[in-house]
Amino acid sequence: MAFFETSDGLHLHYADNGEGLPLLCLAGLTRDSRDFRYFAPHASQYRLITLDARGRGHSDHDPEFMNYNVLRETQDVLELLDHLNLTRAAILGTSRGGLVAMTLAAIAKDRLSAVILNDLGPEIPPDGIARIMEYVGRRPTAKNWEQAAETLATLMAPAFPDVSPARWQQEVQAFYDQTPSGLALRYDPRLRDALLQQAEAGTPPDLWPLFLALEGLPCGVIRGSNSDILSPATFSEMQRRLPTLQAVEIANRGHVPFLDEPEALALVHSVLEQIQ
């Protein structure tokens, strides 16, 4: 496994495979580079780079939990690009990874060749945030992968009605460790503390300027048709404010599409083909 050291002394895990256009994949809030295991078989033409953000996957946990914030995670991405001697890369950002991608566009646009957002926009509905806070930082009550897969399939059925039990089994095996005392999180549970303290800090920032910083870059957005994180209204407004944005909605998907859906793959490849 490959690691690099951040400017504040953490060792973060990344993978760097293939040749061609550099495509850096950034995962969701509690997820890690395994989020892109369904996409990877369809990306052989790219130099596919995945990162476990601080506190997730194989990366070090941060002793200062308030460093679990988008600005610090954006700095980590820039330091990874420097470590790899990459002047520019395309970003495929899922959820939290999309927030990092938009922040990069605002503060270091010259390091980007394209941005694709997976089920993330500049407005996040309170109901979606509340659902996420129900599970962040809490160990599942299921004692094994089989129980967890059954629970997950039941919970996600309304948003993902055509997903097989085998896929939910793969999901829980990728994101929980089986231990003698039950299932364990593969991320630092203090991520929850960071989110709670950040929420107490006041009104959330306006993210539209970050999104509009994408102007001039090849860019795209993928929405799950049943998503509670990227609303239809925000999805539509994103296209109105940034007419060059390529957009696709994936049927029978909530938050987030798996990125092996044909429509999602077509959008990713279409955006990346625009890079000069």
Side-chain angles (χ1 to χ4, degrees):
M1 291 193 293
F3 293 85
F4 76 101
E5 185 173 350
T6 65
S7 56
D8 59 351
L10 295 190
H11 292 88
L12 304 189
H13 170 256
Y14 70 94
D16 183 1
N17 296 294
E19 299 178 353
L21 172 76
L23 176 60
L24 174 57
C25 298
L26 303 176
L29 177 68
T30 64
R31 316 276 277 195
D32 58 47
S33 57
R34 283 166 287 205
D35 242 7
F36 300 95
R37 63 199 180 283
Y38 307 122
F39 171 72
H42 306 278
S44 59
Q45 65 269 53
Y46 310 122
R47 178 180 173 183
L48 194 65
I49 305 162
T50 56
L51 172 67
D52 290 355
R54 59 179 57 213
R56 286 80 147 187
H58 295 293
S59 291
D60 285 350
H61 292 190
D62 196 316
E64 300 293 336
F65 69 83
M66 286 302 288
N67 285 333
Y68 296 133
N69 66 72
V70 170
L71 282 175
R72 178 62 248 193
E73 291 165 20
T74 300
Q75 181 63 33
D76 292 340
V77 170
L78 291 172
E79 292 177 10
L80 173 61
L81 294 179
D82 290 344
H83 174 76
L84 296 174
N85 294 314
L86 285 172
T87 56
R88 293 199 311 163
I91 305 290
L92 173 55
T94 290
S95 195
R96 172 81 156 214
L99 288 177
V100 172
M102 292 194 302
T103 305
L104 283 165
I107 67 173
K109 193 171 184 176
D110 62 320
R111 306 300 299 272
L112 302 178
S113 59
V115 168
I116 300 156
L117 306 173
N118 182 22
D119 211 62
L120 186 283
E123 294 183 14
I124 303 175
D127 288 351
I129 295 174
R131 178 184 60 80
I132 289 171
M133 290 306 298
E134 288 178 359
Y135 68 81
V136 171
R138 294 172 171 165
R139 290 183 65 168
T141 57
K143 297 303 180 184
N144 54 53
W145 285 323
E146 290 72 22
Q147 292 177 9
E150 291 175 3
T151 299
L152 189 60
T154 299
L155 288 173
M156 302 300 280
F160 293 82
D162 62 352
V163 175
S164 70
R167 174 61 63 99
W168 297 125
Q169 184 76 21
Q170 292 175 31
E171 286 288 284
V172 297
Q173 289 182 359
F175 293 102
Y176 298 125
D177 284 322
Q178 180 74 68
T179 74
S181 60
L183 297 179
L185 303 174
R186 284 184 175 157
Y187 64 89
D188 187 349
R190 299 216 72 186
L191 180 60
R192 179 181 185 83
D193 299 323
L195 294 174
L196 290 172
Q197 287 203 19
Q198 289 158 16
E200 292 172 358
T203 304
D206 180 7
L207 301 179
W208 281 103
L210 301 185
F211 170 72
L212 293 174
L214 297 174
E215 186 174 9
L217 288 172
C219 54
V221 60
I222 299 163
R223 178 180 185 266
S225 63
N226 299 322
S227 175
D228 61 354
I229 295 297
L230 178 53
S231 71
T234 299
F235 184 63
S236 177
E237 184 65 8
M238 291 165 71
Q239 295 170 71
R240 188 189 73 80
R241 294 201 195 188
L242 193 59
T244 58
L245 181 73
Q246 295 192 48
V248 68
E249 193 169 66
I250 311 297
N252 295 327
R253 292 291 181 267
H255 186 74
V256 292
F258 296 112
L259 295 177
D260 61 351
E261 301 89 355
E263 303 93 336
L265 291 169
L267 181 135
V268 171
H269 297 318
S270 177
V271 171
L272 298 183
E273 284 170 0
Q274 295 181 44
I275 295 174
Q276 300 296 318

